[in-house]
Amino acid sequence: MTWEAVIGLETHVELQTASKMFCGCPVDFGDEPNTAVCPVCLGLPGALPVPNEQAIEGILSIGAALNCTLTESSLFYRKNYFYPDLPKNYQISQYTFPLCLGGHLDVDIDGTVTRIGITRVHMEEDTGKSTHVGRSGRIQSADHTLLDFNRSGVPLVEIVTEPDIRSADEARVYGTELQRIVRALGVSDARLEEGSMRFDSNVSIRPSGSTELGTRTEVKNVNSLRSLHRAITFEIERQIEVVESGGTVDQETRHWNEDLGTTTSMRNKEESEDYRYFQEPDLLPLHIDVSWQERVRAALPVLPAELRNRYRQAGADARTAEILVDGEGLGPLFEEAAVLGADPRAVGIWLTGEVISFTRTAETAVTTTPLTAAHLVELSEMTADGRLSATAAKEVLTAVLEGEGAPGEIADARDLIQVSDVGAIETEVDAVIAEHLDAFEKLRAGDPKTLGFLTGQVMRATGGKADPRVVQELLRRKAGG
Ligand code: ADP
Ligand code: MG
Ligand code: ZN
């Protein structure tokens, strides 16, 4: 029996608005605990919520970017549960009438595109932050728990997929692409390590070929895209083992343990009845003008998938295009250099090689370095016409990044210009042949190893300045083809 995995992801994204979802407290995570709070986000009796327009605009842009239908009227609900970091004992969320419905996101794995359905995107508010003080950092063995309500009421968007994902790889690519989109929209920094983007993975298995859904578990507590992949992989294998040894999978919430690389049972899964959803009586229905939706759609930036297409059309390969999208400022530089006539392949190699390692070490973006598209064009021309070897080009590029000037100047100053003049090189080639007649005879007899040796001798004689392509061409010609 072979098994197929079925996965649906629920993603929470904290919006970086100026103020919280239903009050005027600032959204600022650097503050001292419990300083950005007020009666509304502390759930004090009588306090009334007022929706944040900037947050609604943010969720509309996410919905639009995910090809959703933006609804014209929408309701807030109370989702009731008790937990110390939820001071109202309910979370204001959405239920049957969310702001965005029915979209999709395409994931591309090595050229195979899979469309992942987006069920809904809704608006809610974040909880406070609990810190369980004790050895494990988990509630079961904590000595006590600290509560910080600065995060209470921060706008939170939840993006729910259809159970369309079939592997841990697809889940990771979906997560990566969603993170790129949210960042491109500028609505959140979407950092998994810091919790401004959080994934819950619903995982089930079924016999390959079956169209029914199996019982799912929901895995929480993944803090990176890598652990998203690890946790799903583990959970699929665990479920297969359970079923193959005659057991059944329990519907439950499981906790991913990063250090152990395993999931463990946290609690039985709540059913939605357990939350006793009812309409939030303190908030009016939201009516979103079609003209507002249209303005949001019109203001969408160029999204990562389209950028990748553009870079590929300008001559980048798939992997390079992806790196160009992810590296701040790299894509525009690539496009500009390509338009100005630089060799896109060479520019791709430089940007994803020397330039990225330089900016990583310097902890900066390429936009803050002196490197311009014109420099890349010059470098590309100097390499194409043989004035610079591939190695010398990389040295020159690093020097440009370090602010030493333009490629031509640097190559002159560092004495890196290659001799490509056939006449000058031929004199050296003839001298080397005269000195190593044995080797040359072997080359004539068809021994390819001597070509490298003789080329090396010419390079040495010219102090490394001869264009090795010209040297080899001359040697081959003289040896009779
Ligand atoms: P909740 O988690 O609040 O109960 P839903 O029932 O809407 O919400 O499902 C949440 C997520 O679980 C969705 O992403 C959905 O695609 C996914 N899902 C539902 N059933 C399964 C299943 N059998 N296997 C895997 N994922 C599932
Ligand atoms: Mg869920
Ligand atoms: Zn507040």
Side-chain angles (χ1 to χ4, degrees), residues 85-158:
D85 61 19
L86 187 71
K88 294 195 296 288
N89 286 335
Y90 60 85
Q91 175 194 35
I92 303 179
S93 182
Q94 296 197 284
Y95 193 49
T96 25
F97 301 95
L99 279 152
C100 319
L101 280 169
H104 60 85
L105 176 61
D106 290 338
V107 301
D108 183 336
I109 300 183
D110 302 328
T112 307
V113 177
T114 310
R115 177 154 291 188
I116 310 299
I118 303 291
T119 316
R120 54 193 269 136
V121 181
H122 72 243
M123 188 81 243
E124 55 189 39
E125 55 176 340
D126 213 343
T127 60
K129 197 169 160 46
S130 311
T131 306
H132 303 300
V133 181
R135 225 168 356 101
S136 73
R138 292 193 59 192
I139 193 167
Q140 292 89 338
S141 55
D143 298 327
H144 56 273
T145 295
L146 299 173
L147 289 167
D148 175 9
F149 290 103
N150 285 356
R151 201 180 69 177
S152 172
V154 165
L156 199 61
V157 166
E158 179 168 352

Side-chain angles (χ1 to χ4, degrees), residues 61-370:
S61 74
I62 293 175
L66 296 175
N67 310 289
C68 290
T69 302
L70 306 180
T71 59
E72 280 173 63
S73 58
S74 171
L75 295 176
F76 285 111
Y77 277 71
R78 291 186 179 180
K79 179 179 179 177
N80 298 276
Y81 66 95
F82 298 97
Y83 203 73
D85 61 19
L86 187 71
K88 294 195 296 288
N89 286 335
Y90 60 85
Q91 175 194 35
I92 303 179
S93 182
Q94 296 197 284
Y95 193 49
T96 25
F97 301 95
L99 279 152
C100 319
L101 280 169
H104 60 85
L105 176 61
D106 290 338
V107 301
D108 183 336
I109 300 183
D110 302 328
T112 307
V113 177
T114 310
R115 177 154 291 188
I116 310 299
I118 303 291
T119 316
R120 54 193 269 136
V121 181
H122 72 243
M123 188 81 243
E124 55 189 39
E125 55 176 340
D126 213 343
T127 60
K129 197 169 160 46
S130 311
T131 306
H132 303 300
V133 181
R135 225 168 356 101
S136 73
R138 292 193 59 192
I139 193 167
Q140 292 89 338
S141 55
D143 298 327
H144 56 273
T145 295
L146 299 173
L147 289 167
D148 175 9
F149 290 103
N150 285 356
R151 201 180 69 177
S152 172
V154 165
L156 199 61
V157 166
E158 179 168 352
I159 302 149
V160 182
T161 76
E162 292 290 301
D164 286 348
I165 300 170
R166 292 287 172 272
S167 67
D169 283 349
E170 275 180 19
R172 178 168 53 190
V173 176
Y174 167 87
T176 310
E177 189 69 0
L178 186 59
Q179 184 183 48
R180 287 189 187 114
I181 291 173
V182 166
R183 288 180 176 168
L185 297 172
V187 293
S188 173
D189 60 2
R191 296 172 71 104
L192 274 77
E193 323 75 53
E194 282 161 24
S196 53
M197 184 173 215
R198 313 195 278 266
F199 291 102
D200 297 339
S201 316
N202 296 269
V203 180
S204 64
I205 56 162
R206 64 185 175 192
S208 299
S210 161
T211 52
E212 276 164 47
L213 290 175
T215 305
R216 72 181 144 125
T217 60
E218 182 169 345
V219 181
K220 292 184 178 284
N221 192 45
V222 299
N223 299 318
S224 68
L225 289 162
R226 186 171 160 266
S227 29
L228 178 71
H229 189 272
R230 286 178 72 206
I232 291 173
T233 305
F234 175 86
E235 188 54 22
I236 294 170
E237 281 166 12
R238 186 192 69 84
Q239 291 186 13
I240 292 175
E241 233 171 81
V242 167
V243 174
E244 287 192 341
S245 59
T248 49
V249 173
D250 291 329
Q251 174 151 339
E252 62 185 358
T253 303
R254 297 181 68 88
H255 180 93
W256 167 247
N257 186 314
E258 183 71 34
D259 297 332
L260 300 177
T262 57
T263 63
T264 46
S265 181
M266 257 169 99
R267 58 168 185 254
N268 288 337
K269 172 96 187 75
E270 299 84 355
E271 298 293 336
S272 67
E273 304 87 82
D274 296 338
Y275 289 121
R276 300 177 339 279
Y277 278 99
F278 64 87
Q279 205 187 318
E280 167 58 86
D282 289 340
L283 288 166
L284 292 167
L286 272 181
H287 289 285
I288 310 289
D289 277 354
V290 175
S291 63
W292 190 12
Q293 296 173 348
E294 281 167 359
R295 279 202 307 282
V296 170
R297 285 192 193 278
L300 285 185
V302 183
L303 295 174
E306 194 185 332
L307 280 179
R308 277 196 300 274
N309 273 339
R310 257 167 53 179
Y311 300 154
R312 295 205 61 172
Q313 268 158 23
D317 59 38
R319 166 119 190 84
T320 303
E322 195 166 303
I323 300 174
L324 292 176
V325 169
D326 289 341
E328 189 190 334
L330 290 179
L333 195 56
F334 172 84
E335 268 189 323
E336 199 186 337
V339 167
L340 294 173
D343 169 16
R345 217 185 65 87
V347 174
I349 291 171
W350 294 328
L351 291 180
T352 58
E354 276 60 40
V355 174
I356 284 199
S357 59
F358 179 87
T359 52
R360 279 211 187 117
T361 311
E363 292 181 20
T364 183
V366 69
T367 42
T368 69
T369 71

Side-chain angles (χ1 to χ4, degrees), residues 9-32:
L9 292 179
E10 295 166 276
T11 310
H12 285 97
V13 176
E14 278 175 350
L15 299 186
Q16 270 173 335
T17 45
S19 56
K20 292 186 182 179
M21 187 60 219
F22 298 111
C23 63
C25 292
V27 172
D28 183 355
F29 298 108
D31 288 347
E32 281 288 295

Side-chain angles (χ1 to χ4, degrees), residues 324-477:
L324 292 176
V325 169
D326 289 341
E328 189 190 334
L330 290 179
L333 195 56
F334 172 84
E335 268 189 323
E336 199 186 337
V339 167
L340 294 173
D343 169 16
R345 217 185 65 87
V347 174
I349 291 171
W350 294 328
L351 291 180
T352 58
E354 276 60 40
V355 174
I356 284 199
S357 59
F358 179 87
T359 52
R360 279 211 187 117
T361 311
E363 292 181 20
T364 183
V366 69
T367 42
T368 69
T369 71
L371 181 67
T372 65
H375 291 146
L376 292 168
V377 175
E378 191 182 350
L379 211 51
S380 165
E381 282 167 356
M382 293 180 77
T383 316
D385 67 16
R387 273 178 291 161
L388 281 181
S389 69
T391 318
K394 290 178 179 175
E395 182 183 332
V396 170
L397 177 57
T398 304
V400 173
L401 289 163
E402 281 163 355
E404 281 184 36
E409 293 163 32
I410 295 169
D412 281 337
R414 295 193 174 199
D415 203 13
L416 290 169
I417 300 290
Q418 283 191 136
V419 180
S420 302
D421 172 42
V422 179
I425 295 176
E426 188 163 11
T427 315
E428 300 291 346
V429 169
D430 288 340
V432 164
I433 290 175
E435 206 181 316
H436 300 279
L437 273 175
D438 294 4
F440 185 64
E441 283 310 322
K442 282 191 195 152
L443 181 64
R444 274 206 347 195
D447 177 1
K449 272 180 290 187
T450 49
L451 182 65
F453 168 75
L454 291 167
T455 307
Q457 293 303 311
V458 178
M459 295 306 291
R460 216 164 91 181
T462 59
K465 294 249 196 71
D467 182 342
R469 287 172 301 185
V470 177
V471 175
Q472 295 207 346
E473 177 56 32
L474 283 169
L475 281 166
R476 273 204 209 93
R477 208 187 317 143

